[in-house]
PDB file of all heavy atoms in Angstrom:
ATOM      1  N   ALA K  38     -17.100  10.653   4.595  1.00  0.00           N
ATOM      2  CA  ALA K  38     -16.779   9.212   4.659  1.00  0.00           C
ATOM      3  C   ALA K  38     -17.890   8.470   5.422  1.00  0.00           C
ATOM      4  O   ALA K  38     -18.277   7.356   4.999  1.00  0.00           O
ATOM      5  CB  ALA K  38     -15.406   8.941   5.310  1.00  0.00           C
ATOM      6  N   SER K  39     -18.287   9.009   6.524  1.00  0.00           N
ATOM      7  CA  SER K  39     -19.362   8.333   7.300  1.00  0.00           C
ATOM      8  C   SER K  39     -20.625   8.143   6.519  1.00  0.00           C
ATOM      9  O   SER K  39     -21.243   7.037   6.526  1.00  0.00           O
ATOM     10  CB  SER K  39     -19.686   9.146   8.605  1.00  0.00           C
ATOM     11  OG  SER K  39     -18.583   9.154   9.433  1.00  0.00           O
ATOM     12  N   LEU K  40     -21.110   9.248   5.869  1.00  0.00           N
ATOM     13  CA  LEU K  40     -22.323   9.069   5.068  1.00  0.00           C
ATOM     14  C   LEU K  40     -22.198   8.230   3.844  1.00  0.00           C
ATOM     15  O   LEU K  40     -23.104   7.462   3.542  1.00  0.00           O
ATOM     16  CB  LEU K  40     -22.819  10.480   4.694  1.00  0.00           C
ATOM     17  CG  LEU K  40     -23.251  11.393   5.909  1.00  0.00           C
ATOM     18  CD1 LEU K  40     -23.581  12.771   5.459  1.00  0.00           C
ATOM     19  CD2 LEU K  40     -24.381  10.751   6.692  1.00  0.00           C
ATOM     20  N   GLU K  41     -21.058   8.252   3.236  1.00  0.00           N
ATOM     21  CA  GLU K  41     -20.820   7.437   2.071  1.00  0.00           C
ATOM     22  C   GLU K  41     -20.802   5.946   2.487  1.00  0.00           C
ATOM     23  O   GLU K  41     -21.349   5.089   1.807  1.00  0.00           O
ATOM     24  CB  GLU K  41     -19.517   7.795   1.356  1.00  0.00           C
ATOM     25  CG  GLU K  41     -19.297   6.998   0.083  1.00  0.00           C
ATOM     26  CD  GLU K  41     -18.021   7.438  -0.639  1.00  0.00           C
ATOM     27  OE1 GLU K  41     -17.711   8.666  -0.615  1.00  0.00           O
ATOM     28  OE2 GLU K  41     -17.394   6.588  -1.277  1.00  0.00           O
ATOM     29  N   TYR K  42     -20.148   5.677   3.553  1.00  0.00           N
ATOM     30  CA  TYR K  42     -20.027   4.262   4.008  1.00  0.00           C
ATOM     31  C   TYR K  42     -21.431   3.757   4.513  1.00  0.00           C
ATOM     32  O   TYR K  42     -21.747   2.659   4.203  1.00  0.00           O
ATOM     33  CB  TYR K  42     -19.045   4.147   5.143  1.00  0.00           C
ATOM     34  CG  TYR K  42     -18.568   2.725   5.409  1.00  0.00           C
ATOM     35  CD1 TYR K  42     -18.145   1.936   4.317  1.00  0.00           C
ATOM     36  CD2 TYR K  42     -18.668   2.161   6.678  1.00  0.00           C
ATOM     37  CE1 TYR K  42     -17.698   0.637   4.559  1.00  0.00           C
ATOM     38  CE2 TYR K  42     -18.258   0.879   6.885  1.00  0.00           C
ATOM     39  CZ  TYR K  42     -17.796   0.090   5.828  1.00  0.00           C
ATOM     40  OH  TYR K  42     -17.397  -1.213   6.018  1.00  0.00           O
ATOM     41  N   ALA K  43     -22.239   4.639   5.108  1.00  0.00           N
ATOM     42  CA  ALA K  43     -23.623   4.277   5.477  1.00  0.00           C
ATOM     43  C   ALA K  43     -24.396   3.841   4.254  1.00  0.00           C
ATOM     44  O   ALA K  43     -25.108   2.847   4.250  1.00  0.00           O
ATOM     45  CB  ALA K  43     -24.274   5.363   6.240  1.00  0.00           C
ATOM     46  N   TRP K  44     -24.237   4.615   3.173  1.00  0.00           N
ATOM     47  CA  TRP K  44     -24.962   4.334   1.926  1.00  0.00           C
ATOM     48  C   TRP K  44     -24.415   3.012   1.323  1.00  0.00           C
ATOM     49  O   TRP K  44     -25.161   2.176   0.803  1.00  0.00           O
ATOM     50  CB  TRP K  44     -24.719   5.529   0.951  1.00  0.00           C
ATOM     51  CG  TRP K  44     -25.263   5.276  -0.402  1.00  0.00           C
ATOM     52  CD1 TRP K  44     -26.578   5.287  -0.762  1.00  0.00           C
ATOM     53  CD2 TRP K  44     -24.487   5.024  -1.579  1.00  0.00           C
ATOM     54  NE1 TRP K  44     -26.683   5.069  -2.127  1.00  0.00           N
ATOM     55  CE2 TRP K  44     -25.413   4.909  -2.650  1.00  0.00           C
ATOM     56  CE3 TRP K  44     -23.105   4.934  -1.839  1.00  0.00           C
ATOM     57  CZ2 TRP K  44     -24.976   4.670  -3.957  1.00  0.00           C
ATOM     58  CZ3 TRP K  44     -22.712   4.702  -3.151  1.00  0.00           C
ATOM     59  CH2 TRP K  44     -23.650   4.568  -4.161  1.00  0.00           C
ATOM     60  N   GLN K  45     -23.104   2.819   1.311  1.00  0.00           N
ATOM     61  CA  GLN K  45     -22.506   1.636   0.745  1.00  0.00           C
ATOM     62  C   GLN K  45     -22.925   0.349   1.492  1.00  0.00           C
ATOM     63  O   GLN K  45     -23.082  -0.697   0.885  1.00  0.00           O
ATOM     64  CB  GLN K  45     -20.983   1.776   0.813  1.00  0.00           C
ATOM     65  CG  GLN K  45     -20.239   0.679   0.104  1.00  0.00           C
ATOM     66  CD  GLN K  45     -18.716   0.902   0.183  1.00  0.00           C
ATOM     67  OE1 GLN K  45     -18.204   1.557   1.026  1.00  0.00           O
ATOM     68  NE2 GLN K  45     -17.999   0.402  -0.794  1.00  0.00           N
ATOM     69  N   LEU K  46     -23.189   0.472   2.770  1.00  0.00           N
ATOM     70  CA  LEU K  46     -23.615  -0.710   3.576  1.00  0.00           C
ATOM     71  C   LEU K  46     -24.913  -1.245   3.092  1.00  0.00           C
ATOM     72  O   LEU K  46     -25.231  -2.432   3.384  1.00  0.00           O
ATOM     73  CB  LEU K  46     -23.615  -0.321   5.057  1.00  0.00           C
ATOM     74  CG  LEU K  46     -22.181  -0.420   5.685  1.00  0.00           C
ATOM     75  CD1 LEU K  46     -22.154   0.425   6.919  1.00  0.00           C
ATOM     76  CD2 LEU K  46     -21.820  -1.835   5.936  1.00  0.00           C
ATOM     77  N   GLU K  47     -25.778  -0.414   2.411  1.00  0.00           N
ATOM     78  CA  GLU K  47     -27.018  -0.954   1.874  1.00  0.00           C
ATOM     79  C   GLU K  47     -26.754  -2.163   0.958  1.00  0.00           C
ATOM     80  O   GLU K  47     -27.482  -3.101   1.006  1.00  0.00           O
ATOM     81  CB  GLU K  47     -27.746   0.147   1.108  1.00  0.00           C
ATOM     82  CG  GLU K  47     -28.463   1.174   1.943  1.00  0.00           C
ATOM     83  CD  GLU K  47     -29.594   0.574   2.774  1.00  0.00           C
ATOM     84  OE1 GLU K  47     -30.347  -0.305   2.293  1.00  0.00           O
ATOM     85  OE2 GLU K  47     -29.736   0.971   3.981  1.00  0.00           O
ATOM     86  N   THR K  48     -25.718  -2.061   0.150  1.00  0.00           N
ATOM     87  CA  THR K  48     -25.371  -3.131  -0.725  1.00  0.00           C
ATOM     88  C   THR K  48     -24.943  -4.368   0.052  1.00  0.00           C
ATOM     89  O   THR K  48     -25.356  -5.512  -0.259  1.00  0.00           O
ATOM     90  CB  THR K  48     -24.258  -2.695  -1.690  1.00  0.00           C
ATOM     91  OG1 THR K  48     -24.709  -1.575  -2.493  1.00  0.00           O
ATOM     92  CG2 THR K  48     -23.800  -3.839  -2.585  1.00  0.00           C
ATOM     93  N   TYR K  49     -24.111  -4.177   1.102  1.00  0.00           N
ATOM     94  CA  TYR K  49     -23.648  -5.308   1.873  1.00  0.00           C
ATOM     95  C   TYR K  49     -24.791  -5.965   2.611  1.00  0.00           C
ATOM     96  O   TYR K  49     -24.834  -7.225   2.717  1.00  0.00           O
ATOM     97  CB  TYR K  49     -22.590  -4.818   2.891  1.00  0.00           C
ATOM     98  CG  TYR K  49     -21.376  -4.154   2.280  1.00  0.00           C
ATOM     99  CD1 TYR K  49     -20.544  -3.410   3.043  1.00  0.00           C
ATOM    100  CD2 TYR K  49     -21.060  -4.288   0.945  1.00  0.00           C
ATOM    101  CE1 TYR K  49     -19.389  -2.781   2.517  1.00  0.00           C
ATOM    102  CE2 TYR K  49     -19.959  -3.660   0.348  1.00  0.00           C
ATOM    103  CZ  TYR K  49     -19.117  -2.929   1.159  1.00  0.00           C
ATOM    104  OH  TYR K  49     -18.019  -2.304   0.641  1.00  0.00           O
ATOM    105  N   ILE K  50     -25.740  -5.186   3.112  1.00  0.00           N
ATOM    106  CA  ILE K  50     -26.914  -5.753   3.785  1.00  0.00           C
ATOM    107  C   ILE K  50     -27.725  -6.573   2.840  1.00  0.00           C
ATOM    108  O   ILE K  50     -28.145  -7.677   3.126  1.00  0.00           O
ATOM    109  CB  ILE K  50     -27.763  -4.603   4.447  1.00  0.00           C
ATOM    110  CG1 ILE K  50     -26.991  -3.939   5.597  1.00  0.00           C
ATOM    111  CG2 ILE K  50     -29.103  -5.117   4.859  1.00  0.00           C
ATOM    112  CD1 ILE K  50     -27.547  -2.617   6.033  1.00  0.00           C
ATOM    113  N   ALA K  51     -27.969  -6.022   1.636  1.00  0.00           N
ATOM    114  CA  ALA K  51     -28.736  -6.727   0.656  1.00  0.00           C
ATOM    115  C   ALA K  51     -28.024  -8.064   0.191  1.00  0.00           C
ATOM    116  O   ALA K  51     -28.685  -9.034   0.043  1.00  0.00           O
ATOM    117  CB  ALA K  51     -28.955  -5.841  -0.563  1.00  0.00           C
ATOM    118  N   ASP K  52     -26.722  -8.012   0.079  1.00  0.00           N
ATOM    119  CA  ASP K  52     -25.950  -9.222  -0.267  1.00  0.00           C
ATOM    120  C   ASP K  52     -26.106 -10.271   0.805  1.00  0.00           C
ATOM    121  O   ASP K  52     -26.368 -11.438   0.501  1.00  0.00           O
ATOM    122  CB  ASP K  52     -24.452  -8.911  -0.478  1.00  0.00           C
ATOM    123  CG  ASP K  52     -24.190  -8.082  -1.728  1.00  0.00           C
ATOM    124  OD1 ASP K  52     -25.114  -7.941  -2.576  1.00  0.00           O
ATOM    125  OD2 ASP K  52     -23.046  -7.555  -1.812  1.00  0.00           O
ATOM    126  N   ALA K  53     -25.974  -9.874   2.062  1.00  0.00           N
ATOM    127  CA  ALA K  53     -26.067 -10.817   3.172  1.00  0.00           C
ATOM    128  C   ALA K  53     -27.531 -11.422   3.242  1.00  0.00           C
ATOM    129  O   ALA K  53     -27.685 -12.606   3.403  1.00  0.00           O
ATOM    130  CB  ALA K  53     -25.703 -10.165   4.490  1.00  0.00           C
ATOM    131  N   GLU K  54     -28.486 -10.550   3.044  1.00  0.00           N
ATOM    132  CA  GLU K  54     -29.880 -11.057   3.116  1.00  0.00           C
ATOM    133  C   GLU K  54     -30.175 -11.983   1.930  1.00  0.00           C
ATOM    134  O   GLU K  54     -30.853 -12.983   2.117  1.00  0.00           O
ATOM    135  CB  GLU K  54     -30.847  -9.857   3.103  1.00  0.00           C
ATOM    136  CG  GLU K  54     -30.858  -9.128   4.411  1.00  0.00           C
ATOM    137  CD  GLU K  54     -31.754  -7.905   4.405  1.00  0.00           C
ATOM    138  OE1 GLU K  54     -32.044  -7.355   3.298  1.00  0.00           O
ATOM    139  OE2 GLU K  54     -32.154  -7.471   5.501  1.00  0.00           O
ATOM    140  N   LEU K  61     -25.059 -11.631   9.651  1.00  0.00           N
ATOM    141  CA  LEU K  61     -24.173 -10.675   9.039  1.00  0.00           C
ATOM    142  C   LEU K  61     -24.931  -9.402   8.607  1.00  0.00           C
ATOM    143  O   LEU K  61     -24.455  -8.306   8.812  1.00  0.00           O
ATOM    144  CB  LEU K  61     -23.504 -11.274   7.778  1.00  0.00           C
ATOM    145  CG  LEU K  61     -22.440 -10.455   7.092  1.00  0.00           C
ATOM    146  CD1 LEU K  61     -21.333 -10.078   8.041  1.00  0.00           C
ATOM    147  CD2 LEU K  61     -21.901 -11.225   5.926  1.00  0.00           C
ATOM    148  N   ALA K  62     -26.159  -9.600   8.086  1.00  0.00           N
ATOM    149  CA  ALA K  62     -27.018  -8.422   7.736  1.00  0.00           C
ATOM    150  C   ALA K  62     -27.230  -7.539   8.962  1.00  0.00           C
ATOM    151  O   ALA K  62     -27.160  -6.294   8.861  1.00  0.00           O
ATOM    152  CB  ALA K  62     -28.291  -8.883   7.097  1.00  0.00           C
ATOM    153  N   SER K  63     -27.517  -8.179  10.056  1.00  0.00           N
ATOM    154  CA  SER K  63     -27.755  -7.412  11.316  1.00  0.00           C
ATOM    155  C   SER K  63     -26.502  -6.658  11.770  1.00  0.00           C
ATOM    156  O   SER K  63     -26.560  -5.530  12.190  1.00  0.00           O
ATOM    157  CB  SER K  63     -28.202  -8.427  12.423  1.00  0.00           C
ATOM    158  OG  SER K  63     -28.431  -7.718  13.632  1.00  0.00           O
ATOM    159  N   TRP K  64     -25.399  -7.315  11.646  1.00  0.00           N
ATOM    160  CA  TRP K  64     -24.102  -6.651  12.017  1.00  0.00           C
ATOM    161  C   TRP K  64     -23.833  -5.465  11.110  1.00  0.00           C
ATOM    162  O   TRP K  64     -23.463  -4.377  11.589  1.00  0.00           O
ATOM    163  CB  TRP K  64     -22.995  -7.685  11.917  1.00  0.00           C
ATOM    164  CG  TRP K  64     -21.668  -7.164  12.380  1.00  0.00           C
ATOM    165  CD1 TRP K  64     -21.279  -6.908  13.696  1.00  0.00           C
ATOM    166  CD2 TRP K  64     -20.496  -6.882  11.610  1.00  0.00           C
ATOM    167  NE1 TRP K  64     -20.011  -6.452  13.734  1.00  0.00           N
ATOM    168  CE2 TRP K  64     -19.502  -6.433  12.466  1.00  0.00           C
ATOM    169  CE3 TRP K  64     -20.250  -6.940  10.226  1.00  0.00           C
ATOM    170  CZ2 TRP K  64     -18.257  -6.020  12.012  1.00  0.00           C
ATOM    171  CZ3 TRP K  64     -19.018  -6.558   9.792  1.00  0.00           C
ATOM    172  CH2 TRP K  64     -18.047  -6.125  10.661  1.00  0.00           C
ATOM    173  N   PHE K  65     -24.099  -5.634   9.828  1.00  0.00           N
ATOM    174  CA  PHE K  65     -23.922  -4.537   8.875  1.00  0.00           C
ATOM    175  C   PHE K  65     -24.876  -3.354   9.232  1.00  0.00           C
ATOM    176  O   PHE K  65     -24.516  -2.161   9.128  1.00  0.00           O
ATOM    177  CB  PHE K  65     -24.138  -4.920   7.421  1.00  0.00           C
ATOM    178  CG  PHE K  65     -23.054  -5.762   6.839  1.00  0.00           C
ATOM    179  CD1 PHE K  65     -23.340  -6.783   5.913  1.00  0.00           C
ATOM    180  CD2 PHE K  65     -21.716  -5.538   7.172  1.00  0.00           C
ATOM    181  CE1 PHE K  65     -22.322  -7.516   5.326  1.00  0.00           C
ATOM    182  CE2 PHE K  65     -20.681  -6.259   6.564  1.00  0.00           C
ATOM    183  CZ  PHE K  65     -21.023  -7.282   5.645  1.00  0.00           C
ATOM    184  N   ARG K  66     -26.074  -3.713   9.641  1.00  0.00           N
ATOM    185  CA  ARG K  66     -27.075  -2.680   9.994  1.00  0.00           C
ATOM    186  C   ARG K  66     -26.588  -1.839  11.234  1.00  0.00           C
ATOM    187  O   ARG K  66     -26.773  -0.664  11.286  1.00  0.00           O
ATOM    188  CB  ARG K  66     -28.441  -3.267  10.313  1.00  0.00           C
ATOM    189  CG  ARG K  66     -29.261  -3.533   9.099  1.00  0.00           C
ATOM    190  CD  ARG K  66     -30.691  -3.840   9.445  1.00  0.00           C
ATOM    191  NE  ARG K  66     -31.343  -4.348   8.238  1.00  0.00           N
ATOM    192  CZ  ARG K  66     -31.393  -5.664   7.897  1.00  0.00           C
ATOM    193  NH1 ARG K  66     -30.828  -6.547   8.681  1.00  0.00           N
ATOM    194  NH2 ARG K  66     -31.960  -6.056   6.793  1.00  0.00           N
ATOM    195  N   ARG K  67     -26.001  -2.542  12.202  1.00  0.00           N
ATOM    196  CA  ARG K  67     -25.502  -1.827  13.362  1.00  0.00           C
ATOM    197  C   ARG K  67     -24.373  -0.866  12.966  1.00  0.00           C
ATOM    198  O   ARG K  67     -24.296   0.258  13.499  1.00  0.00           O
ATOM    199  CB  ARG K  67     -24.988  -2.832  14.444  1.00  0.00           C
ATOM    200  CG  ARG K  67     -26.156  -3.553  15.115  1.00  0.00           C
ATOM    201  CD  ARG K  67     -25.728  -4.298  16.329  1.00  0.00           C
ATOM    202  NE  ARG K  67     -24.684  -5.266  16.123  1.00  0.00           N
ATOM    203  CZ  ARG K  67     -24.841  -6.558  15.779  1.00  0.00           C
ATOM    204  NH1 ARG K  67     -26.040  -7.001  15.538  1.00  0.00           N
ATOM    205  NH2 ARG K  67     -23.801  -7.321  15.642  1.00  0.00           N
ATOM    206  N   ILE K  68     -23.478  -1.343  12.123  1.00  0.00           N
ATOM    207  CA  ILE K  68     -22.385  -0.446  11.633  1.00  0.00           C
ATOM    208  C   ILE K  68     -23.022   0.741  10.881  1.00  0.00           C
ATOM    209  O   ILE K  68     -22.590   1.863  11.074  1.00  0.00           O
ATOM    210  CB  ILE K  68     -21.429  -1.233  10.684  1.00  0.00           C
ATOM    211  CG1 ILE K  68     -20.737  -2.296  11.522  1.00  0.00           C
ATOM    212  CG2 ILE K  68     -20.441  -0.295  10.032  1.00  0.00           C
ATOM    213  CD1 ILE K  68     -19.920  -3.271  10.705  1.00  0.00           C
ATOM    214  N   GLN K  69     -24.011   0.460  10.020  1.00  0.00           N
ATOM    215  CA  GLN K  69     -24.665   1.506   9.260  1.00  0.00           C
ATOM    216  C   GLN K  69     -25.299   2.548  10.222  1.00  0.00           C
ATOM    217  O   GLN K  69     -25.165   3.729   9.992  1.00  0.00           O
ATOM    218  CB  GLN K  69     -25.709   0.902   8.366  1.00  0.00           C
ATOM    219  CG  GLN K  69     -26.387   1.908   7.466  1.00  0.00           C
ATOM    220  CD  GLN K  69     -27.453   1.273   6.599  1.00  0.00           C
ATOM    221  OE1 GLN K  69     -28.266   0.503   7.099  1.00  0.00           O
ATOM    222  NE2 GLN K  69     -27.432   1.580   5.327  1.00  0.00           N
ATOM    223  N   GLU K  70     -25.955   2.065  11.272  1.00  0.00           N
ATOM    224  CA  GLU K  70     -26.588   2.993  12.234  1.00  0.00           C
ATOM    225  C   GLU K  70     -25.520   3.881  12.854  1.00  0.00           C
ATOM    226  O   GLU K  70     -25.769   5.071  13.084  1.00  0.00           O
ATOM    227  CB  GLU K  70     -27.356   2.195  13.291  1.00  0.00           C
ATOM    228  CG  GLU K  70     -28.577   1.534  12.782  1.00  0.00           C
ATOM    229  CD  GLU K  70     -29.181   0.540  13.752  1.00  0.00           C
ATOM    230  OE1 GLU K  70     -28.705   0.437  14.920  1.00  0.00           O
ATOM    231  OE2 GLU K  70     -30.175  -0.181  13.369  1.00  0.00           O
ATOM    232  N   ASN K  71     -24.383   3.290  13.219  1.00  0.00           N
ATOM    233  CA  ASN K  71     -23.322   4.086  13.803  1.00  0.00           C
ATOM    234  C   ASN K  71     -22.787   5.167  12.848  1.00  0.00           C
ATOM    235  O   ASN K  71     -22.503   6.277  13.241  1.00  0.00           O
ATOM    236  CB  ASN K  71     -22.177   3.207  14.283  1.00  0.00           C
ATOM    237  CG  ASN K  71     -22.546   2.378  15.516  1.00  0.00           C
ATOM    238  OD1 ASN K  71     -23.400   2.706  16.238  1.00  0.00           O
ATOM    239  ND2 ASN K  71     -21.868   1.249  15.646  1.00  0.00           N
ATOM    240  N   ASN K  72     -22.679   4.783  11.566  1.00  0.00           N
ATOM    241  CA  ASN K  72     -22.170   5.749  10.583  1.00  0.00           C
ATOM    242  C   ASN K  72     -23.219   6.829  10.324  1.00  0.00           C
ATOM    243  O   ASN K  72     -22.852   8.009  10.185  1.00  0.00           O
ATOM    244  CB  ASN K  72     -21.841   5.012   9.258  1.00  0.00           C
ATOM    245  CG  ASN K  72     -20.469   4.432   9.342  1.00  0.00           C
ATOM    246  OD1 ASN K  72     -19.458   5.115   9.072  1.00  0.00           O
ATOM    247  ND2 ASN K  72     -20.373   3.161   9.690  1.00  0.00           N
ATOM    248  N   VAL K  73     -24.509   6.510  10.311  1.00  0.00           N
ATOM    249  CA  VAL K  73     -25.527   7.513  10.145  1.00  0.00           C
ATOM    250  C   VAL K  73     -25.466   8.466  11.326  1.00  0.00           C
ATOM    251  O   VAL K  73     -25.557   9.714  11.160  1.00  0.00           O
ATOM    252  CB  VAL K  73     -26.926   6.877   9.950  1.00  0.00           C
ATOM    253  CG1 VAL K  73     -28.035   7.926  10.061  1.00  0.00           C
ATOM    254  CG2 VAL K  73     -27.001   6.133   8.607  1.00  0.00           C
ATOM    255  N   LYS K  74     -25.393   7.899  12.513  1.00  0.00           N
ATOM    256  CA  LYS K  74     -25.312   8.745  13.737  1.00  0.00           C
ATOM    257  C   LYS K  74     -24.081   9.709  13.669  1.00  0.00           C
ATOM    258  O   LYS K  74     -24.206  10.877  13.987  1.00  0.00           O
ATOM    259  CB  LYS K  74     -25.263   7.844  14.973  1.00  0.00           C
ATOM    260  CG  LYS K  74     -25.291   8.638  16.297  1.00  0.00           C
ATOM    261  CD  LYS K  74     -25.289   7.625  17.471  1.00  0.00           C
ATOM    262  CE  LYS K  74     -25.270   8.441  18.762  1.00  0.00           C
ATOM    263  NZ  LYS K  74     -25.265   7.507  19.917  1.00  0.00           N
TER     264      LYS K  74
END
Side-chain angles (χ1 to χ4, degrees):
S39 293
L40 295 175
E41 184 175 328
Y42 198 52
W44 174 73
Q45 187 178 26
L46 279 157
E47 283 296 321
T48 300
Y49 301 163
I50 292 166
D52 289 348
E54 288 177 337
L61 186 58
S63 178
W64 186 71
F65 285 147
R66 278 193 192 90
R67 287 192 305 273
I68 294 169
Q69 184 182 46
E70 289 169 8
N71 289 335
N72 277 276
V73 168
K74 184 177 178 180

